Amino acid sequence: MTVTFDRHRRLRTSAAMRNLVREHHVRKEDLIYPLFFVEGTGIKEQIPSMPGVYHFSLDQIEAEFKEIVDLGIQSVIVFGVPNEKDACGSQAYADDGITQQAIRRIKALYPHLIVIADTCLCQYTDHGHCGVLHDGIVENDESLELLARTAVSQAKAGADIIAPSNMMDGFVAAIRQGLDEAGFTNIPVMSYAVKYASAYYGPFRDAAHSTPQSGDRKSYQMDPANAREGLREAASDVMEGADFLIVKPGLAYMDMVLRLREGFDLPIVAYNVSAEYSMVKAAAQNGWINEQQIVMETMVGFKRAGADLIITYHAKDIARWLNGGN
Ligand code: PBG
Ligand code: ZN
């Protein structure tokens, strides 16, 4: 009997052979590390649902940023958690708001670190929605003006990239115009283009104190059942001038990473969100999984799907592993 078949195993015979034919790699430069800043002094408090992730007051960040830079991470995304909230989120665009102060402080410490500002209103509004609320409705066009103001104040503070996560229609156009008019023509917009209304943001909302007080975000964030709609969202953002496209969450939406990779030429970013992190940490703490292997497999999965960059709370761990540590 002669059976003919392909011998795929030829290319898997040794570690060196597997290294030789490896198609995708995770680099430290691919990682964007999220951080949360609070007002006050002397605060470095672990977020209970996100082991290893902290609330920092600005007097406590020096050691943290030395570690980040020493590990070889070159980009961070910053979230401010203000004490004061009001109906129109005025701390979002206050020049001395917590986010603006954090950006200034980080850039003073490490001018070469890329500081990305998340641009939204939900941490700053007393109702917890990502835009202005009237009679239970999140007003699209009224919110745009405040979002543009927020972006400009973040750029003024020294942000290198503006990352709007609010999912209002036209937000990229409004922010691009605001930045250009203020002279920030060189500041790129990293758009949360394809962002779903997801339960995977649960731990983040504990960290950012941004849970909506009433209702949910389904009238602006996308239905998890929709893929074609995500392509329309991305196409609008590209037309409006986005420089990067984010898919969020990452893991349950890897198909969208691939679709954007195939449909658009911009850098694609996968956001490995808070609950994806918390689930791994919880299982690892129980000794149920090999954390390093699980995380690295997920990361190379994002790269294989077509992501250029990954926003992840695991970034410091990954950088340490890539540096040969454990
Ligand atoms: C703000 C924002 C959220 C996240 C990033 N920016 C929360 C939300 O939209 O409800 C989620 C990030 C995460 O879960 O890690 N709009
Ligand atoms: Zn928001």
Side-chain angles (χ1 to χ4, degrees):
M1 185 182 80
T2 323
V3 188
T4 57
F5 51 84
D6 293 331
R7 291 200 179 271
H8 301 291
R9 292 179 57 188
R10 275 183 204 131
L11 300 185
R12 298 174 200 148
T13 51
S14 67
M17 189 70 83
R18 293 189 289 274
N19 285 340
L20 194 66
V21 299
R22 183 156 298 125
E23 298 177 30
H24 296 282
H25 301 88
V26 179
R27 309 174 313 148
K28 287 183 278 181
E29 292 83 352
D30 303 333
L31 305 172
I32 300 170
Y33 186 54
L35 292 132
F36 298 94
F37 302 100
V38 294
E39 293 171 32
T41 53
I43 302 165
K44 180 184 176 184
E45 226 168 80
Q46 189 159 229
I47 293 148
S49 54
M50 301 180 74
V53 178
Y54 296 83
H55 279 149
F56 288 98
S57 58
L58 295 179
D59 61 330
Q60 298 293 308
I61 69 172
E62 233 171 285
E64 177 73 6
F65 277 86
K66 180 171 188 323
E67 188 188 357
I68 288 168
V69 169
D70 286 350
L71 282 166
I73 293 170
Q74 58 165 34
S75 321
V76 297
I77 182 164
V78 299
F79 298 92
V81 187
N83 282 343
E84 254 177 73
K85 301 178 189 243
D86 59 26
C88 50
S90 39
Q91 283 302 303
Y93 37 88
D95 283 335
D96 61 349
I98 178 67
T99 305
Q100 288 78 1
Q101 287 185 48
I103 295 166
R104 278 195 293 269
R105 180 94 184 92
I106 299 164
K107 290 302 287 186
L109 286 171
Y110 293 102
H112 299 298
L113 194 70
I114 292 183
V115 176
I116 304 171
D118 181 274
T119 305
C120 202
L121 299 181
C122 53
Q123 287 113 278
Y124 309 91
T125 51
D126 50 14
H127 46 75
H129 280 287
C130 304
V132 181
L133 195 65
H134 278 313
D135 300 327
I137 303 221
V138 177
E139 293 286 346
N140 196 84
D141 300 15
E142 242 178 88
S143 303
L144 294 180
E145 195 196 322
L146 300 184
L147 289 162
R149 266 168 77 176
T150 304
V152 169
S153 79
Q154 292 168 334
K156 267 191 201 150
D160 298 289
I161 299 177
I162 298 299
S165 61
N166 54 84
M167 288 299 278
M168 298 299 111
D169 289 325
F171 70 83
V172 175
I175 286 172
R176 184 70 271 159
Q177 188 183 335
L179 289 172
D180 290 350
E181 284 172 4
F184 296 109
T185 50
N186 271 334
I187 299 294
V189 174
M190 180 184 280
S191 173
Y192 287 77
V194 183
K195 176 169 174 180
Y196 290 91
S198 172
Y200 282 97
Y201 309 148
F204 174 93
R205 290 180 190 173
D206 294 340
H209 303 159
S210 65
T211 306
Q213 298 302 302
S214 62
D216 53 40
R217 301 206 165 130
K218 291 180 184 168
S219 76
Y220 43 105
Q221 298 180 349
M222 286 177 53
D223 182 338
N226 293 356
R228 294 189 303 268
E229 187 184 344
L231 298 180
R232 298 202 297 275
E233 281 279 0
S236 300
D237 288 7
V238 172
M239 202 179 59
E240 292 174 30
D243 301 283
F244 300 77
L245 299 172
I246 304 180
V247 173
K248 176 177 172 211
L251 216 31
Y253 301 88
M254 283 228 200
D255 59 322
M256 296 310 296
V257 174
L258 176 62
R259 281 169 191 249
L260 292 206
R261 170 75 295 141
E262 291 178 340
F264 301 93
D265 292 331
L266 297 184
I268 305 296
V269 186
Y271 198 142
N272 178 219
V273 298
S274 54
E276 298 171 17
Y277 175 84
S278 303
M279 293 192 298
V280 169
K281 285 288 176 186
Q285 285 180 350
N286 276 296
W288 294 339
I289 56 171
N290 179 321
E291 182 177 356
Q292 180 175 348
Q293 288 176 11
I294 289 272
V295 170
M296 293 311 289
E297 186 175 329
T298 300
M299 295 303 136
V300 87
F302 286 130
K303 296 299 301 276
R304 194 187 64 246
D308 301 286
L309 304 170
I310 305 160
I311 304 173
T312 179
Y313 304 95
H314 296 290
K316 285 201 303 183
D317 290 333
I318 296 167
R320 209 177 54 249
W321 297 328
L322 291 174
N323 292 339
N326 49 32

